[in-house]
Amino acid sequence: MSKYLIVIFIAIGLAACGSDSGSSNNGNNGGNTGGNTTYVAGEFKTASFADEYAPMDAGVYGLSNAVCSGGSNYFESENVLVYGDSSLPNADFQYAATLVENKLNEAFGLMGMDSTEFESLRPQYTPQLARNVMRFLDYHRNAVDNSDNDITDLPNTGFTAPVNWETMDDIEKESVLNGYWNTISDSKQDELVSAYIANSQDVNATDGNKLPSKIGVCLDSSMNETLYGQGTLFGMNLAPKSVADRSDAQQVVLHELIHTIQVNLSKPVYASELINDLWFMEGQATFLSGQQVASNASGYYPVDVVDSFDAGNIFRGDEGLAYSHYAKAYSYLSTHNTKEQIKTFLIDVRRYQGGGENGGYSGTSSDRFTEAFDRNMEKADGTQLTIQGFRSNYQSLMSGN
């Protein structure tokens, strides 16, 4: 089965995140009051130029139907942009902004960072434009002499080619270029985008292909109380309050914000692909958001769950059981590794410059995930914890955790 179908199933799992109760009080951030909720201050706007529209690239919305792509109707608060159909009640926009505003700093703190660090790591370009530029860097035709070139023929890129660059195939080169793209400055990215535009004649390349610095929310009326939220590169997709109203909405939003941070830190170019193991992504989000954690390991092996097919084989469709055990597995990492180590692990996934596979498959973690995990994670005794060692010795490692 293709990787594309794999991530569709994963996205469905993500959309159903956070079904457990335990939400906090909505709080009071000022603004208008609707019912029992005090909304954050903000302003309803209509986009009038390119950077105000919701990004066109469907890749920033996960694998949803990207209903907000190119949308012009939005509500802006201090840190959040909420897009949605103009037929939705104003309260839907204000409520979504309030949920995210109230949980954003908590999510940053749980991930061991602040808004400034997040902004420095949030990509400025959408995945589609980044991939277009990388393909240009992999192979391009010189506009001056019509010769075939790659990144090594461009001046002042700061790129150091691996010794086997000339013998790498396109997939391997793209993997290396992905890591390079994610380590260079915004200004250097701008230079390469300009070179791409000049050679491709795609003068509209950046239209709709930049991410806002604020967290974006896409109100999707096709979602419901079960498929309530999905963390994305943009921010999150969320069911409008007028369509679905959950008592634990704040906890769900906190869970999805953890996913938002994960994706922005670790896989900004391949945001919708399976890069990180499913058990880790859901385990971290479930554990940090205070949702249910299995009381003991109970003979289960959640760290074997790379994708949703593995989850089906191990947990037989019991999503609640699966998520509680993902959280249990993550609790080991959280106990024996600092927030800084785990954050560095995610950033190392992003910056991997090996020529291996970008994405993982059933039972097999991606090279990016494996190398970064093995470099950063430790066991209880302070020695290196490898992903293979975690799998092979899971029950014994968890016996004292």
Side-chain angles (χ1 to χ4, degrees), residues 301-324:
Y301 291 84
V303 289
D304 289 344
V305 178
V306 174
D307 63 22
S308 60
F309 295 107
D310 297 330
N313 290 333
I314 293 172
F315 292 102
R316 304 297 179 188
D318 189 336
E319 192 172 81
L321 179 67
Y323 279 49
S324 71

Side-chain angles (χ1 to χ4, degrees), residues 314-345:
I314 293 172
F315 292 102
R316 304 297 179 188
D318 189 336
E319 192 172 81
L321 179 67
Y323 279 49
S324 71
H325 278 280
Y326 301 153
K328 184 65 175 176
Y330 182 81
S331 72
Y332 183 90
L333 302 182
S334 180
T335 300
H336 304 298
N337 297 270
T338 66
K339 289 181 180 179
E340 191 66 26
Q341 283 176 283
I342 297 172
K343 181 177 66 179
T344 300
F345 151 67

Side-chain angles (χ1 to χ4, degrees), residues 22 69 108 136 148 179 185 206 209 231 266 297 335 338:
S69 176
F108 287 145
F136 161 74
D148 293 338
S185 65
T206 59
N209 278 315
S266 68
T335 300
T338 66

Side-chain angles (χ1 to χ4, degrees), residues 44-57:
F44 285 93
K45 296 182 177 181
T46 301
S48 58
F49 64 93
D51 288 346
E52 292 179 345
Y53 289 85
M56 290 294 296
D57 182 2

